[in-house]
Amino acid sequence: MTDATSHEASRRRNDMADAVFLPLDDYLGTIGIRRAVLLCQLPLTVMMTLILFLALLFKPATPWDPGVFLIPFLHVLIPAACLVLPWHRLPAGSFVLIPVADCLSVGLLREIGGPVLSVVGLLMAFPVIWLSVSVNRVRLALSIMAPIVATLASPLALGHEIEPSEMIRMIVFPTIMAGLAFTGHAVARGLTKHREILNQNDRDLALLNKATADHAQLLDTVLETVNVGVWAMDTNGTDILTNRRFRSDRSWSLENVGGRNPFTICPGQVPDDSPGPAELAAGGATFTHRLIRVGPDKDHQRTFSAAARPLLGESGHLKGSVLAFTDVTALVKAQTARDKFVATVSHELRTPLTSILGYLEILDEHPDPQYLGIIERNAERLLALINNLLLVACEELEIRRRPTNIGDLLQESVRAAKSEADARGVTVTLSIQGDAEVGVDPRHFAKAVDELLSNAIKFSPEGRNVSVVLRDTDDRIELTVSDQGFGMTQQEQDAAFTTFFKADHALETAIPGAGLGLPLCKAIIEAHAGTIKLESQPKSGTTVTIAMPR
């Protein structure tokens, strides 16, 4: 037990020792000590009033001592004292004087009343019980001594002679009261002990409830923090516990899946030969990294990795299962992109390398200077590809700005692209509107323009036109490169600036390229604090727009 708990228990024992009447302590403690003392005194006062009434009603032939009427009348002063005494200013436990005075008044009335009022002595049980039903041993002593003093002192105070026949009563009656006092005190201590046990149990239960609530809050916090859908279900697939991520994935699946839903179990939903993760888990199966694909089509499909562990009862019987669903769509796409990247880059690197090695072999057997030019072009192509890979991999491009006439830069890029355009039967037109001079890095900016022109030419069928337009406004310049090529779907446009992305048409027709052009342009333009956007329609061409602030 901690010091705080021990101090609290000691305080409770002191409170119970000072209780006006222990069995009703919970109630009496709420009404104040004045009302509590008066309430405990009330039964005896009522009985005294009844005795006074009966004494007046049934007077014996032999006149009574006037004290028979006087003592009950004076007894009324005791409850009056209960009302007027300043209990809060008096020492704690001062109210015990009231039951002591009650014992004395009952003893005097019993002595004056003689044999007719001998039954009055039983009223002494009221103050005796009041005093004895406590954990305070001083009050127990008073509950024993008060009846003895009242019994022995009453005849002496009234000047009555004690006859031998009266000795039996004067010994037995206090003894009976003492037995009653011991019994009341024992019962009070038992009740107190039982109450302490109940209070301790209540405190332990409160601590347990708090620990349970804290544990539940921690569990909820963990479940809502992890980026994994958690589903605890019984053997029928009914939810026991879910987190927000799982509910979100289930809701998305219900909206986007017309057939089997892996996040629910419905009778007859799945053929017996192809159960899903939920059906397997409901049967008590254990598995890890079970991949499931959810979605109406390839473009809107999501991939989840499912794991399950059975939930067993104390006797080892199956109560349900706990499943975890991790969305690995990005990981699967990254894996696919990596495989595509390896294949694309391998192809792009292999083509010039094969050409270089082939011409070197020919050059060894048939020396011819023109072969050196072919080898040089392929080496430059290989170097350009590697440089592009390095540029895309850079987290931050180093930009060295200087005033540059963008019109002159575009004319140079168009002249450089003319040979490629002529080879493909594509015409390139250039329109410059205004004297566009801004601070850019000429080398990087020219690289972005060259990539856009190369893309437009590569994706334009023979006989089509590539249009380059430069517009100069007050606050910016705007450059558009438009082709009349194959265009892109909306899904392809969303992924156009992704590294190593190639449209389906480029893959089908084996158009050369590593998917680095647009990502490289985006990196260069944004490093200049500009913007780049792409607009396209299938079979209607593509327009790329660059806006550069002045």
Side-chain angles (χ1 to χ4, degrees):
M1 182 181 294
T2 63
D3 293 341
T5 305
S6 177
H7 176 74
E8 181 66 15
S10 176
R11 186 188 65 80
R12 288 194 186 93
R13 284 192 292 271
N14 291 335
D15 290 344
M16 288 186 287
D18 295 334
V20 176
F21 186 61
L22 190 58
L24 298 179
D25 184 39
D26 291 339
Y27 171 68
L28 296 180
T30 62
I31 63 175
I33 187 171
R34 188 183 309 279
R35 293 182 180 180
V37 172
L38 183 61
L39 187 63
C40 292
Q41 175 63 27
L42 188 59
L44 182 60
T45 300
V46 171
M47 294 305 299
M48 280 291 193
T49 304
L50 179 63
I51 288 172
L52 178 61
F53 173 75
L54 293 175
L56 293 173
L57 183 63
F58 303 107
K59 292 188 292 184
T62 303
W64 268 338
D65 190 308
V68 171
F69 305 101
L70 180 62
I71 290 175
F73 179 77
L74 294 176
H75 183 80
V76 177
L77 297 177
I78 296 178
C82 295
L83 288 173
V84 300
L85 286 175
W87 295 109
H88 291 290
R89 298 180 185 176
L90 298 177
S94 300
F95 61 87
V96 299
L97 297 176
I98 299 299
V100 170
D102 287 336
C103 289
L104 295 177
S105 65
V106 170
L108 289 172
L109 182 61
R110 165 66 185 82
E111 186 65 28
I112 292 175
V116 176
L117 295 180
S118 60
V119 72
V120 171
L122 296 176
L123 296 180
M124 204 174 292
F126 287 105
V128 168
I129 293 174
W130 184 0
L131 286 170
S132 64
V133 182
S134 169
V135 295
N136 191 313
R137 294 183 179 180
V138 174
R139 290 169 64 175
L140 172 63
L142 287 175
S143 67
I144 296 173
M145 294 303 300
I148 295 175
V149 172
T151 303
L152 297 179
S154 294
L156 297 178
L158 295 173
H160 293 176
E161 184 179 351
I162 302 175
E163 298 182 3
S165 59
E166 290 292 316
M167 291 301 297
I168 298 176
R169 177 183 63 82
M170 299 184 70
I171 293 174
V172 173
F173 181 75
T175 303
I176 294 173
M177 292 296 107
L180 181 62
F182 275 115
T183 301
H185 186 71
V187 170
R189 292 189 70 85
L191 290 174
T192 302
K193 187 68 176 178
H194 183 65
R195 180 184 293 184
E196 288 181 352
I197 293 174
L198 292 178
N199 289 338
Q200 184 61 44
N201 290 340
D202 289 342
R203 290 192 294 273
D204 293 342
L205 183 60
L207 292 175
L208 181 60
N209 288 337
K210 185 179 184 302
T212 301
D214 291 342
H215 181 73
Q217 184 180 14
L218 176 62
L219 178 61
D220 289 342
T221 303
V222 171
L223 288 177
E224 298 304 330
T225 300
V226 297
N227 194 29
V228 176
V230 179
W231 180 21
M233 66 175 183
D234 61 18
T235 54
N236 296 320
T238 304
D239 293 350
I240 298 176
L241 177 68
T242 61
N243 67 344
R244 182 171 18 193
R245 178 57 189 267
F246 173 79
R247 293 190 294 271
S248 175
D249 291 340
R250 173 189 276 175
S251 177
W252 178 88
S253 179
L254 289 173
E255 294 174 359
N256 292 275
V257 179
R260 181 173 66 183
N261 187 346
F263 301 104
T264 58
I265 295 180
C266 296
Q269 182 188 43
V270 184
D272 294 337
D273 59 344
S274 60
E279 289 76 19
L280 290 174
T286 298
F287 52 85
T288 305
H289 301 312
R290 185 181 179 89
L291 291 181
I292 55 173
R293 290 174 172 80
V294 185
D297 51 55
K298 183 179 178 181
D299 293 332
H300 298 86
Q301 193 175 72
R302 292 170 65 184
T303 305
F304 294 89
S305 174
R309 294 294 183 272
L311 183 62
L312 303 177
E314 294 181 359
S315 61
H317 67 281
L318 182 65
K319 294 174 56 180
S321 185
V322 178
L323 294 95
F325 293 89
T326 306
D327 190 339
V328 294
T329 305
L331 183 61
V332 171
K333 288 183 177 180
Q335 180 84 12
T336 304
R338 186 195 68 177
D339 295 341
K340 186 182 293 186
F341 161 71
V342 172
T344 301
V345 172
S346 297
H347 175 75
E348 293 296 323
L349 291 174
R350 183 176 58 190
T351 301
L353 281 173
T354 302
S355 179
I356 291 172
L357 292 173
Y359 278 101
L360 283 173
E361 185 178 349
I362 296 173
L363 188 63
D364 186 43
E365 297 177 359
H366 304 285
D368 189 338
Q370 67 176 349
Y371 296 151
L372 293 176
I374 297 173
I375 292 173
E376 183 181 6
R377 287 196 302 273
N378 280 280
E380 289 175 351
R381 177 182 173 188
L382 185 60
L383 180 61
L385 176 60
I386 293 173
N387 286 335
N388 287 346
L389 287 171
L390 293 175
L391 282 174
V392 170
C394 288
E395 293 184 359
E396 185 174 350
L397 292 177
E398 183 179 355
I399 302 297
R400 297 179 179 178
R401 296 175 181 265
R402 68 170 183 262
T404 303
N405 189 304
I406 303 301
D408 294 343
L409 188 147
L410 287 178
Q411 289 177 359
E412 182 63 30
S413 294
V414 169
R415 280 196 297 266
K418 188 176 186 307
S419 60
E420 181 184 359
D422 291 343
R424 298 185 64 89
V426 175
T427 59
V428 179
T429 61
L430 174 62
S431 174
I432 300 176
Q433 303 171 9
D435 182 18
E437 184 173 299
V438 292
V440 298
D441 186 321
R443 183 173 63 90
H444 282 311
F445 196 84
K447 177 67 176 175
V449 174
D450 291 343
E451 290 293 338
L452 291 179
L453 280 173
S454 178
N455 271 358
I457 293 170
K458 281 192 301 185
F459 289 97
S460 294
E462 184 177 355
R464 300 297 176 90
N465 179 67
V466 172
S467 172
V468 181
V469 179
L470 178 65
R471 298 181 182 88
D472 185 10
T473 63
D474 293 336
D475 59 343
R476 65 177 183 172
I477 64 167
E478 188 174 276
L479 169 64
T480 61
V481 178
S482 304
D483 63 56
Q484 298 170 343
F486 305 102
M488 290 186 286
T489 65
Q490 184 59 52
Q491 290 77 16
E492 290 173 335
Q493 291 180 59
D494 294 338
F497 292 101
T498 304
T499 308
F500 311 122
F501 170 78
K502 296 185 72 173
D504 290 341
H505 179 78
L507 295 173
E508 293 169 0
T509 56
I511 295 177
L516 297 175
L518 286 176
L520 184 57
C521 290
K522 184 174 188 291
I524 292 173
I525 298 305
E526 289 183 348
H528 284 83
T531 61
I532 182 170
K533 65 179 181 177
L534 182 148
E535 297 176 350
S536 182
Q537 291 290 335
K539 300 180 181 181
S540 298
T542 301
T543 298
V544 178
T545 302
I546 294 175
M548 294 289 296
R550 283 196 172 278

